[in-house]
Amino acid sequence: MRPDDLPQALPWRPHDWRKGDHLLALLAANASSHPAEIAMRERDRGIWREYTWQDYHDTVLAFAAGLEALGVRPFEVVQIIGDNRPALYFAMVALGALRAIASPAYPDATPDEIALLAEREDVRCAVVEDQEQVDKLLQLEKEHGERYRLIVYDDPRGLAGKMPERFVAFTDVVARGRERLAADPLLRQALLERPSAHDVAVLLHSSGTTGTPKGVPLKHGHVLSAVRNAAQAGYFQNGDVHVAYLPMAWVGDYIFSIGAAFALRFAVNIPERQETVIRDLREIAPTVFFSSPRAWAGMITRIQVGMDESTPLKRRLYEHFMAFAIDLERRRLAGSPPSLGARLWRTLGEWMIYGPIKDQLGLARVRRAYTAGEAIGEDDFLFLRALGVPLRQFYGQTENCALCAAQSADDVKLHTVGRPFPGVEVKIADSGEILVRGDNVFDGYYDNPKASEEALEDGWLHTGDAGYFEEDGSLVVLGRLSEVAYTAAGERYVATYIENRIKFSQYVKDVCVVGENRPFLTAIVCIDLEAVGHWAEEHGVPYTSYADLSQKPEVYDLVARVIAHVNNVLPSGLRIRRFVNLHKPFDPDDGEVTRTRKLRRKVIYDRYAPILEALYDPARREIDFQATITYETGETGVIARRLRLYDVAPAQGE
């Protein structure tokens, strides 16, 4: 990448960042003022390994020096691929010392997805986690020709001593860098002085719901502006303990695990694997915690399953104290302070029920808990806050470092995302679109001037979301502006709004609502295997597979009750009349959803067109559907399934 290829600051006003105010400078400052303080922990094979700020600083500079010796140059894009690991975080920061650019990819990205990004960004170097990711790059090169001149791997198992010279172990790069630093006393300071606040810190990517993901370059100044704005609003605090378990390719992880960690000296904790997050969470006991609405709902499900398996006395105590706490929280949010008696009873409940549950979840020390990405169900929201988890919602996109607005600790309303952060301007366009401006807003997409011009106007970012402000200045997000649609009768609706309400149910993993230019709304539903499977076991419903479970009459009745509940709060013209339970979940590998599980509607509409047409044929009660599947070997096959088409009972009062 050439410097001229990078988007420049917009003309509305110049960024007033200090050149030397960048992430490397903060890392050096932390190492100088708190050298022995723990900056990062990693659980590896059951053992926690700790890195101080001095360790972090020394490893980053050594890796940078080693990479430079291996030919990495300024403005070069380097792919980072793998699960959250210290070496990959060190690598991303080290690239900043060389003014090179880290481009993280999701760990489950396919070789074709990686190849697409590599081609577009002219990637020639990569830092990867282990043999699994190396094999992807080898497969990529087998199909598209040799691309990488340098591949650095962290975990040597299965790789050490077997790879060509262009494959180098992370530890070997660090060792080479340490030799350079020892031989050149001036190199260390030079590496810290090279970066600028105006350099790109990381190249992330949009979700790509409507096409190829766009590159989103975020500069050091963007990241630090966002973090400081949020800290000023009380969103972050110095010394927070954070769990880095979300993908490194997601903007939130970069903001929390690097941006906020450096600016506010977070202790970043990395679980052993995604499968061990819950177990590791109990040992970490974070003070700040982010999770998606789906993950929060999963926690609640685990609580309820655990209580179902406990003693009758414990279940009765749980049911009593949770009902009391939920009612108390509902009244408190409505502005009614609790009485002295209620506070005393709440304290007793904390000792007997709430505290032990939070301790089991690893949330006993959480002072700030957040959710974002989609609306969270009212029941889930009230449950968690009743438990004593101080849950709040925030709003943002990759293009603005994910930090635009958030609910304040003392003013939480379920239907709003709170007020804009200090330093962030938000306004509503005549079209109803939410516009955002501030030093946290990026300067344009990578190598895509057309998309940049469409997204940015006089510094205002067109978010693509529809919304409005309440009288108190709180922002309400309605959904994607592009998803505002009309039925054949002219009824206006936003599919994501209805879908999110359906997904409030633990039994629904994904749902796609259809109705544009149609006589009524229908839905394609993907059940949640874990939740529905547990329900089936409790109710004596035998099943052999996801496909088998999804088509059980009892499961259709279960999903129908979920949809009927949502229909009760929808206008009569926007109620879902028919649905089908799909035989499989929507899969990012099939292009049906993004890696962050946002629907790719066009793909779904095209792939399941026969199902959609059958849903609008009142005479049809089932459909034989054939689908092409891709096995792990890369081979394809065809499966045939008979799917039921289910009519939802009329809503109350219809």
Side-chain angles (χ1 to χ4, degrees), residues 53 267 319 379 574-575 592 621 635:
W53 283 112
E319 290 166 359
D379 292 343
L574 298 180
R575 290 166 184 165
E592 297 164 342
R621 291 291 178 265
E635 297 177 342

Side-chain angles (χ1 to χ4, degrees), residues 13 16 62 370 426 430 452:
R13 67 177 170 125
D16 56 358
Y370 301 106
V426 179
D430 293 341
S452 299

Side-chain angles (χ1 to χ4, degrees), residues 169-247:
F170 179 89
T171 52
D172 291 342
V173 179
V174 171
R176 181 179 298 207
R178 294 192 194 280
E179 291 176 2
R180 286 194 68 205
L181 291 170
D184 185 355
L186 301 179
L187 179 57
R188 183 179 300 270
Q189 190 60 33
L191 290 171
L192 293 173
E193 293 178 351
R194 289 180 194 175
S196 162
H198 298 272
D199 288 344
V200 175
V202 65
L203 178 58
L204 300 171
H205 304 91
S206 66
S207 59
T209 56
T210 59
T212 303
K214 297 184 286 288
V216 183
L218 297 178
K219 299 177 179 179
H220 293 260
H222 293 134
V223 172
L224 293 179
S225 295
V227 169
R228 288 162 179 162
N229 292 341
Q232 188 178 342
Y235 187 87
F236 297 132
Q237 286 190 359
N238 279 309
D240 268 327
V241 179
H242 162 62
V243 184
Y245 73 101
L246 295 165

Side-chain angles (χ1 to χ4, degrees), residues 301-381:
T301 298
R302 284 191 293 274
I303 294 170
Q304 294 169 340
V305 169
M307 286 299 163
D308 288 343
E309 298 172 350
S310 64
T311 65
L313 176 61
K314 193 170 184 177
R315 283 199 302 272
R316 285 197 296 271
L317 288 171
Y318 165 80
E319 290 166 359
H320 169 78
F321 277 104
M322 284 309 307
F324 163 78
I326 289 170
D327 181 65
L328 188 69
E329 182 63 19
R330 183 180 283 107
R331 287 189 281 112
R332 193 187 71 78
L333 291 177
S336 176
S339 65
L340 175 61
R343 292 199 301 271
L344 291 172
W345 201 246
R346 178 68 177 72
T347 301
L348 179 62
E350 179 70 24
W351 176 69
M352 297 184 67
I353 298 296
Y354 318 134
I357 290 176
K358 287 186 292 185
D359 188 60
Q360 278 294 106
L361 294 175
L363 304 178
R365 292 204 303 159
V366 168
R367 297 191 295 266
R368 283 165 300 285
Y370 301 106
T371 187
E374 59 186 17
I376 187 170
E378 180 177 355
D379 292 343
D380 291 351
F381 187 77

